Amino acid sequence: NAGVTQTPKFRVLKTGQSMTLLCAQDMNHEYMYWYRQDPGMGLRLIHYSVGEGTTAKGEVPDGYNVSRLKKQNFLLGLESAAPSQTSVYFCASTPTGRNIQYFGAGTRLSVL
Amino acid sequence: QKEVEQDPGPLSVPEGAIVSLNCTYSNSAFQYFMWYRQYSRKGPELLMYTYSSGNKEDGRFTAQVDKSSKYISLFIRDSQPSDSATYLCAMTTNAGGTSYGKLTFGQGTILTVHP
């Protein structure tokens, strides 16, 4: 099992550009999450999904959109990137009725 | 005030030392407490999982929860250079249910164990 896979691993964007981060999990988990991690801030929840076709806002959703068209995939989009979105992004998943999250290896994003 | 507070360190100790990592929290509804370990440029991975108050031991690691003080700790005995990582505390109110598995994380403590 690959677990949680994030694509790409690194990306550099210019201000105003758009991009999509892909998260794929092969554990048949219902719940999926997107976080950003900044120095001294821990992990902050951006958006999450409790099942295929559903999404909800987390703690810091502004400037991001998400989609969960297939159960195994959770996409995070930046429509118009800003330097404040420079961060490391992590995806995680959890099975229904559980609270242990399994994380991907992260995507390092720099917005210039 | 953050719901979960964790001293970000950094913490530097010699090999063999006992390490104590701590978090305080304000939400008395938290019942499930976890410690995640994150190596440099990797994703967090679950290290310890406890429910309610008490101690849990796993090898060189001991997790303690004191719900009356809203305080949790992770102790590492005989620390090794391979323990060098960021340690994140996390907690939640229930297992799934209306929390949908969401966790509240501390800021993380950077630990370095030098030979």
Side-chain angles (χ1 to χ4, degrees):
Chain A
N1 282 347
V4 179
T5 304
Q6 291 184 234
T7 311
K9 289 183 170 50
F10 305 95
R11 187 72 186 268
V12 178
L13 290 179
K14 294 182 179 179
T15 298
Q17 287 185 319
S18 63
M19 79 162 294
T20 300
L21 282 67
L22 171 64
C23 177
Q25 53 96 3
D26 61 3
M27 298 174 284
N28 201 36
H29 289 172
E30 285 291 335
Y31 303 159
M32 296 185 74
Y33 315 86
W34 274 108
Y35 294 92
R36 59 178 291 171
Q37 185 175 38
D38 302 291
M41 302 292 287
L43 288 164
R44 292 185 292 170
L45 183 65
I46 305 172
H47 286 279
Y48 65 101
S49 168
V50 300
E52 184 177 311
T54 73
T55 63
K57 294 181 180 179
E59 180 186 355
V60 288
D62 294 342
Y64 305 95
N65 56 76
V66 288
S67 63
R68 183 105 180 262
L69 298 179
K70 293 182 179 181
K71 184 178 181 178
Q72 64 268 34
N73 295 337
F74 195 25
L75 279 63
L76 177 70
L78 287 74
E79 289 187 347
S80 180
S84 61
Q85 294 177 305
T86 293
S87 187
V88 183
Y89 292 87
F90 287 99
C91 176
S93 69
T94 304
T96 307
R98 300 292 303 278
N99 51 24
I100 297 173
Q101 294 188 9
Y102 298 85
F103 286 81
T107 295
R108 292 183 172 273
L109 175 66
S110 291
V111 183
L112 306 178
Chain B
Q1 183 184 1
K2 291 183 180 292
E3 212 169 4
V4 179
E5 296 279 358
Q6 183 178 4
D7 185 347
L11 186 61
S12 180
V13 302
E15 183 175 354
I18 297 174
V19 175
S20 172
L21 305 169
N22 311 295
C23 288
T24 59
Y25 62 95
S26 58
N27 187 349
S28 58
F30 286 143
Q31 295 190 76
Y32 296 84
F33 304 91
M34 298 155 225
W35 287 94
Y36 279 80
R37 179 173 60 194
Q38 184 179 19
Y39 290 117
S40 180
R41 297 182 176 268
K42 301 288 186 183
E45 55 181 358
L46 182 70
L47 182 62
M48 298 289 282
Y49 180 96
T50 54
Y51 169 68
S52 195
S53 286
N55 293 0
K56 182 175 183 178
E57 188 173 322
D58 183 1
R60 296 183 295 108
F61 299 90
T62 300
Q64 286 187 352
V65 175
D66 182 349
K67 290 189 68 180
S68 62
S69 301
K70 297 190 181 68
Y71 189 88
I72 70 170
S73 300
L74 177 70
F75 297 96
I76 307 175
R77 292 184 300 280
D78 188 25
S79 57
Q80 302 295 309
S82 58
D83 295 327
S84 298
T86 297
Y87 291 80
L88 297 139
C89 63
M91 47 198 79
T92 188
T93 55
N94 56 35
T98 55
S99 72
Y100 301 114
K102 289 187 291 178
L103 301 175
T104 302
F105 286 88
Q107 296 94 316
T109 300
I110 301 170
L111 171 67
T112 301
V113 181
H114 51 88

